[in-house]
Amino acid sequence: MITTLRFLKNGGLKGLMPVMAYLLCTAWLVAGAPQRGWAQTTRAVVANSGDNSVSIFNLSDGFGVAITNASDADCNFDDPRWLAITRNGRFAGVTNGGGNTVTWIDLSTSPPDCLGTTTVGSAARGIAIRGNDRAVVAINGGSDPVKVIDITGLPTVPDATDILCTHDLGSGANPQGVAVTPHGLFALVAETGNDRVRYVDLATCTLLAGSTPVGDFPFGVAVTPGSNTALVTNRSDDTLSIIDISGLPAVPAATDDTIDVSDATQGVAITSDGGKAVIAEAGTSDSATILRLSDLLSVGVPLGSNPFGVAISITPDSFKAAITNEGDDTVSILNLGTHTVDMTVIVGNAPRGIAITPVQPPIAKFIASPRKAVKPPLTVNFINRSKDVDGRVVGFDWNLGAFAFC
């Protein structure tokens, strides 16, 4: 595509006008940002606890691959439970519930490549990743700690020297779900054994004093895009706790609200606009609850057997949730606009944790022609060399600054 701008007067810039125009007329892409564009290469990554494998498939068509200990000796999967993906979409961390490690996967290779494992402690459970630099891992066993790991060196596998801090939550805390606030300042950890949420300050790597009491057996945790509200599923009393966390590092002493949702609530995720939450429910309903956060109205959608984990991505016209069904070895792709299951994907045995590769921002690049200064009036052609690695560009915004002629 060529964008043509015609300049009719000098404006005091003399022969430098085309050069200045090239430097100052900056193109900003509006398509391919997270709120737009369903990328062909957007993929779901699934931890299959029953057969020690990880499934990776395209959300557009369900086509994908599986990696196992047999196919890649560096995986060392042992009851893989939860997983998280770096913001740049390149690396995934998978906790091994039957072991004491996190397995790291490079998603940029074909097929994806297991890099190796980091020893963290017995029965690793929940994991969340901040951007591309920190991983927060919850451990069951011993003093039930939570650990913060420096992952900036990936693809070099983190070792013991990269564990920045370890905080013992106390024997019997049984931490499960972990979430990092979108602004990256705090991590939230659900203690199923103590029915409360604890908080880690990621700037100082300290465990904040105090906790927030929630329902019975808190399991999944999610935070709204503005980092102001946390949702916590309480698996044993079939409720959802809503916590105002806008005042952190001051720890909330109580929840704002607790609502009934259905039965055996497990994973939870929130749309990137903060409008809806999706909750996996593994009880007799075997369903997902789609909860509108503005008024807490909800609708249930039947799924497969024993829904466990939830992740949300986007299409050009709607958000979609990918939900693992642990009991029948599938993932349901749920359209949040139509409240229907668009596709069911067969994965490995007993799928649990799931994450979706983030949509990457587009790169704006234009080449100006002519590139040398000439006398006005003149025409400058901007040749589009912009790209979107996982979507398509559909429009541009031009930031012209004070140069109205541009």
Side-chain angles (χ1 to χ4, degrees):
M1 183 187 79
I2 298 178
T3 299
T4 300
L5 302 178
R6 184 166 179 79
F7 298 85
L8 300 178
K9 61 181 181 179
N10 193 315
L13 294 179
K14 298 184 179 179
L16 296 178
M17 187 179 295
V19 177
M20 294 298 292
Y22 173 58
L23 294 176
L24 297 173
C25 297
T26 304
W28 297 89
L29 282 63
V30 296
Q35 287 74 28
R36 307 282 298 276
W38 176 248
Q40 292 292 325
T41 55
T42 301
R43 295 176 292 174
V45 184
V46 182
N48 303 305
S49 62
D51 60 9
N52 291 329
S53 71
V54 166
S55 299
I56 303 165
F57 64 87
N58 298 332
L59 284 174
S60 57
D61 56 14
F63 179 79
V65 298
I67 51 177
T68 66
N69 294 335
S71 65
D72 189 334
D74 290 327
C75 293
N76 290 307
F77 295 132
D78 186 358
D79 187 16
R81 294 289 187 96
W82 302 73
L83 57 86
I85 298 175
T86 54
R87 180 64 187 88
N88 61 15
R90 180 175 177 185
F91 302 108
V94 184
T95 58
N96 292 298
N100 60 354
T101 62
V102 175
T103 298
W104 301 101
I105 304 172
D106 188 340
L107 300 174
S108 69
T109 61
S110 184
D113 178 38
C114 284
L115 301 171
T117 59
T118 300
T119 300
V120 292
S122 61
R125 291 294 192 263
I127 182 172
I129 291 178
R130 182 186 76 174
N132 303 311
D133 66 350
R134 298 288 184 270
V136 183
V137 182
I139 312 298
N140 282 185
S143 56
D144 286 354
V146 58
K147 301 192 177 193
V148 180
I149 306 171
D150 182 350
I151 61 170
T152 54
L154 287 170
T156 300
V157 175
D159 60 20
T161 64
D162 295 306
I163 297 177
L164 301 177
C165 56
T166 298
H167 295 292
D168 295 337
L169 302 178
S171 179
N174 190 23
Q176 291 283 345
V178 180
V180 170
T181 55
H183 57 33
L185 298 180
F186 304 100
L188 286 68
V189 184
E191 291 188 13
T192 61
N194 296 322
D195 297 339
R196 65 185 184 181
V197 174
R198 299 295 302 273
Y199 305 87
V200 177
D201 186 329
L202 295 179
T204 60
C205 217
T206 56
L207 181 69
L208 298 180
S211 62
T212 306
V214 288
D216 190 5
F217 207 91
F219 193 74
V221 187
V223 180
T224 54
S227 300
N228 294 319
T229 304
L231 305 182
V232 181
T233 59
N234 303 303
R235 193 165 72 178
S236 292
D237 64 11
D238 311 330
T239 62
L240 181 77
S241 294
I242 302 174
I243 310 172
D244 182 354
I245 59 171
S246 60
L248 287 173
V251 172
T255 61
D256 273 14
D257 200 357
T258 299
I259 62 173
D260 295 325
V261 283
S262 188
D263 59 336
T265 54
Q266 301 210 94
V268 58
I270 300 171
T271 56
S272 61
D273 65 356
K276 295 178 181 179
V278 179
I279 304 160
E281 297 169 356
T284 56
S285 65
D286 280 339
S287 64
T289 289
I290 303 172
L291 179 69
R292 191 166 62 195
L293 295 179
S294 60
D295 54 16
L296 301 183
L297 293 178
S298 64
V299 61
V301 181
L303 299 176
S305 174
N306 195 21
F308 187 97
V310 185
I312 296 177
S313 190
I314 52 176
T315 71
D317 57 348
S318 177
F319 290 100
K320 292 194 178 185
I323 305 167
T324 57
N325 300 304
E326 185 181 7
D328 60 14
D329 308 335
T330 62
V331 174
S332 298
I333 308 301
L334 175 61
N335 188 313
L336 303 188
T338 62
H339 302 163
T340 57
V341 175
D342 285 352
M343 180 171 56
T344 300
V345 181
I346 299 173
V347 290
N349 182 249
R352 291 189 173 182
I354 186 169
I356 292 173
T357 54
V359 175
Q360 300 303 307
I363 299 170
K365 182 179 180 181
F366 284 80
I367 298 173
S369 177
R371 299 182 66 88
K372 294 182 179 180
V374 296
K375 293 182 178 180
L378 57 96
T379 297
V380 177
N381 294 322
F382 287 88
I383 303 171
N384 182 17
R385 293 292 183 265
S386 305
K387 61 181 180 180
D388 191 350
V389 296
D390 55 7
R392 59 190 179 89
V393 177
V394 298
F396 302 92
D397 281 340
W398 290 86
N399 178 11
L400 308 181
F403 293 83
F405 62 79
C406 179

